[in-house]
Amino acid sequence: SRGVARTFQNIRLFGRMSVRRNVEVSALAAGGAGRAESAERAGELLAELGLEERADRDAGTLPYGDQRRLEIARALAARPRFLLLDEPAAGMNEAESAELGAAIERIRTARNCGILVVEHDLRLIMRLCERVAVLNEGRLISEGTPGEVRRDPGVVAAYIGEERSDG
């Protein structure tokens, strides 16, 4: 009701419901939409996230990356002004992560939607985000543009690691 929607680190789909129905239920639960409008909205979101060909499959039968995109479609069905993504690339390979990043960029641009991403995939974060806040053991250790954060000695030591020469 406050314009915020989120995904979860652990996938939480209705596995025995169709992909389309998962998104329709989310649109209905958000309120303000009837069945016909929810069905139309679901179709648009599935197309936007490349899931239209899988719309009639049970959500639990989708490959992992598709399940992640379905979670995002469900969150978007609520028409949020702000989207929270909790480790959306967790468990994805590099190609899947890059595809997900492109989808998130399209969402941000097309919807003028604020997006907060909690993620360990540094390549995704550095490519996707305008501002980055880095936590280590629950403490903020750096904040700034991706370039500023990438050069921060505390971030390098905690996450990236120093290049070593054995000579």
Side-chain angles (χ1 to χ4, degrees):
S1 67
R2 304 261 179 185
V4 177
R6 67 163 300 182
T7 65
F8 295 89
Q9 180 178 354
N10 297 319
I11 295 174
R12 296 183 180 183
L13 300 173
F14 299 114
R16 293 188 176 163
M17 266 188 206
S18 73
V19 168
R20 178 186 327 280
R21 193 76 178 132
N22 264 269
V23 180
E24 288 175 0
V25 166
S26 183
L28 285 167
R35 288 190 89 129
E37 185 180 342
S38 295
E40 182 179 332
R41 178 97 177 119
E44 292 168 1
L45 289 167
L46 294 177
E48 183 176 342
L49 288 160
L51 294 168
E52 66 274 286
E53 291 181 12
R54 295 169 175 84
D56 295 323
R57 287 181 57 180
D58 282 352
T61 68
L62 291 178
Y64 186 78
D66 289 348
Q67 287 186 18
R68 287 278 182 200
R69 287 200 320 274
L70 176 55
E71 275 211 317
I72 294 171
R74 284 184 4 160
L76 290 173
R79 299 183 187 270
R81 293 186 314 266
F82 206 81
L83 180 62
L84 309 176
L85 303 175
D86 189 359
E87 298 198 35
M92 290 186 173
N93 64 38
E94 193 173 329
E96 290 170 326
S97 179
E99 184 179 315
L100 176 69
I104 293 169
E105 287 174 337
R106 286 191 308 270
I107 290 164
R108 179 179 59 201
T109 301
R111 299 178 186 291
N112 194 27
C113 180
I115 301 175
L116 174 70
V117 182
V118 175
E119 182 59 65
H120 290 95
D121 182 335
L122 293 180
R123 274 182 247 152
L124 174 67
I125 290 298
M126 294 302 183
R127 191 181 97 232
L128 181 65
C129 297
E130 297 166 3
R131 301 280 307 162
V132 178
V134 181
L135 302 176
N136 187 24
E137 297 182 7
R139 291 184 35 245
L140 181 67
I141 63 169
S142 185
E143 184 176 6
T145 66
E148 292 167 342
V149 167
R150 186 179 289 117
R151 291 185 301 274
D152 186 303
V155 173
V156 171
Y159 288 99
I160 300 169
E162 302 282 347
E163 282 192 35
R164 293 175 37 179
S165 64
D166 294 334

